[in-house]
Amino acid sequence: MHTEILKPCKATYDKCAKLIKEGFAVAFPTETVYGLGANALSDESVKRIFEAKNRPCDNPLTVHLADKKDIELVASVLPAAKKLIDSFMPGPLTVILKKRKRICASATAGLDTVGVRIPSNIIARDFIKACGLPIVAPSANLSSRPSPTTAMHVYEDLKGKIPAIIDGGSCELGIESTIIDASSGYLKLLRSGGISEKQIINVCGDIFLEKAAVKSDKYRHYEPKCPCILLNSNDGEYIKSEYIKYISQGKKVALLCYDDNAKALSGLNIINLGKDNISAAAMLFNALRQAESTADIILIEKPKEDDLENVLLDRISKACGS
Ligand code: TXA
Ligand code: MG
């Protein structure tokens, strides 16, 4: 199958909506990462996503909508979820709710719950609106690979497997949405992401927020093609000594580090993550894909301490296979 990369415009949305209605999967940009969309009401269409990504079929997909008023068409909303929806949608949040029967069983791997997300990215919403359907969309990477933050990343992974990619440039946040399970009377944080825990507690402080067990994820995620090691320090001297250690073992090393160390350590094979965690989050998946093409081991500087620290640590430790 030929994979077209299309500029975002009305003609593209109409063309892609037609492909979705015919049962194909189409990739589109969101503010977090690129998604691979298909018709959430059709088992046949949803099957195309699992096949293209090589995703285990017991790993559920989330539904993407253009508008809050459509949520009740796909799920039922308890009061605990209402505050979250009112405060953070559209935006980088996925809320797990009790599913309505319309959403096909294979979309949610047979679960009676469904994740719902309304992207703030206007290209995503215009595309979904043109489809006039709820759109299931996992990240548009091959299963276990770093999530895609550009149309080129999607193309690398899914070329020949899907008919179209809507090119919306680089994703603004570069890490996935926060996932909160609000399908019962209390809230459970399943994945840290674009909305911080602090923001959620500020809005839903009166509701118990439980954190899912850290080791609960049985799937592999974000893994580059070569080994990846998290350096437990921001100290330039230490980072340099680790780099030299691997070089002297005859390895080709790529170092992902923040701007200050990138400047201090110039001359090494460095991919600069920028000055802070916001830029590091936006760069991380791109940097992993870039690094794997030039190195056989990737070293990553420890995330800086702030609200995004745990989000980055989660992604990096999974990239490192732990
Ligand atoms: O930012 C995002 O959320 C991106 C963009 C494309 O919207 N999507 C994304 O989807 O990251 P995906 O499929 O790569 O990750 C969704 C996660 C998976 O780990 C899945 O297991 C979990 O959400 N999930 C989906 N439905 C669930 C459910 N009903 N209960 C518990 N976990 C669920
Ligand atoms: Mg994913």
Side-chain angles (χ1 to χ4, degrees), residues 85-103:
I85 291 168
D86 288 345
S87 309
F88 301 117
M89 285 188 180
L93 177 75
T94 298
V95 181
I96 310 281
L97 301 167
K98 278 271 179 286
K99 149 183 160 2
R100 299 225 187 268
K101 288 209 176 64
R102 296 177 71 216
I103 301 298

Side-chain angles (χ1 to χ4, degrees), residues 53 55 138-139 141 147 176 191 221-222:
K53 278 181 62 86
R55 181 174 172 112
S139 50
N141 50 284
S147 297
E176 302 87 344
R191 180 175 73 189
H221 291 286
Y222 316 128

